[in-house]
Amino acid sequence: MIDFHCHIDLYPDPASVIERANREGIYVLAVTTTPKAWSGTQNLLKGCSRIKTAVGIHPELVGERHQEIDLLCSIMQETRYVGEIGIDGSPQHRSTFDLQQQIFRRVLSKSVELGGRILSIHSRYAANEVLSIIEEYPKAGIFVLHWFSGSIIELDRAIKSGCWFSVGPAMLASQRGRELFLNMPRDKVVTETDGPFAMIDKKSLMPWDVGIAFSSIAKLWNIEIDLVKKIILGNFQNLIKKQ
Ligand code: MN
């Protein structure tokens, strides 16, 4: 199983989540929301070869954390994975919209300088701005748009820009999410949970809940779950070898 966007350090008891994810052999991309959280998370994950830590600055925290951008850029030298980064255009984060774009550009330009990284990207209410900036930095690496919620036109633009997509149970629970998913190229999709933030029935999703996404995908693609697992695993292997 693949959970390519999970805030594993933010569960009430990260150690037990990590222990089970590791025991079940789940590949997890542990995204972080502040550069300062990276080293602690990295330490928690020692010995878990299938769980990788990404360094990030969540767009919703850019207002209070933008001073940590230098730390983020320096950690980027040590890891292939960057996230969660991106832009959030929700009304409550509009005041930092310009600053978010500056920070996002800074991260992508650092990524170009380092030869490219695998980037897990947030784009809520800001798909247009995220895509414009991505297109300015085509050599920044592999762009994985997490829980994409833009329009179909924006989705087509993302596909043309070579973006990948991570989709999870919460996204696939909505009609709109399913419609977007059905328009994504089958070879550019991996699964995620976005736990503990993303929930189903008011319960935080756990890394092993990506199984719920497999069932939804099997229905939408009209194929067996085992084949879905094979395709997603193959996609994941392609994705990580590209960078
Ligand atoms: Mn997230």
Side-chain angles (χ1 to χ4, degrees), residues 5 7 31 33 58 84 122 146 194-195 197:
H5 183 108
H7 299 269
V31 292
T33 54
H58 196 291
E84 176 160 2
H122 174 113
H146 118 81
D194 200 16
F197 296 127

Side-chain angles (χ1 to χ4, degrees), residues 14-34:
S16 73
V17 179
I18 291 163
E19 191 275 324
R20 179 164 166 190
N22 194 41
R23 180 159 38 89
E24 296 195 13
I26 305 171
Y27 291 90
V28 182
L29 183 64
V31 292
T32 51
T33 54
T34 72

Side-chain angles (χ1 to χ4, degrees), residues 183-229:
N183 283 280
M184 292 171 182
R186 289 193 186 191
D187 60 351
K188 288 289 186 73
V189 176
V190 291
T191 43
E192 66 165 35
T193 60
D194 200 16
F197 296 127
M199 300 190 181
I200 291 268
D201 298 332
K202 297 189 180 144
K203 269 184 62 194
S204 281
L205 289 166
M206 311 302 283
W208 42 92
D209 289 328
V210 285
I212 305 170
F214 288 143
S215 321
S216 308
I217 293 172
K219 278 191 204 120
L220 290 163
W221 283 351
N222 196 23
I223 58 175
E224 297 292 325
I225 289 187
D226 282 346
L227 185 53
V228 173
K229 287 185 182 166

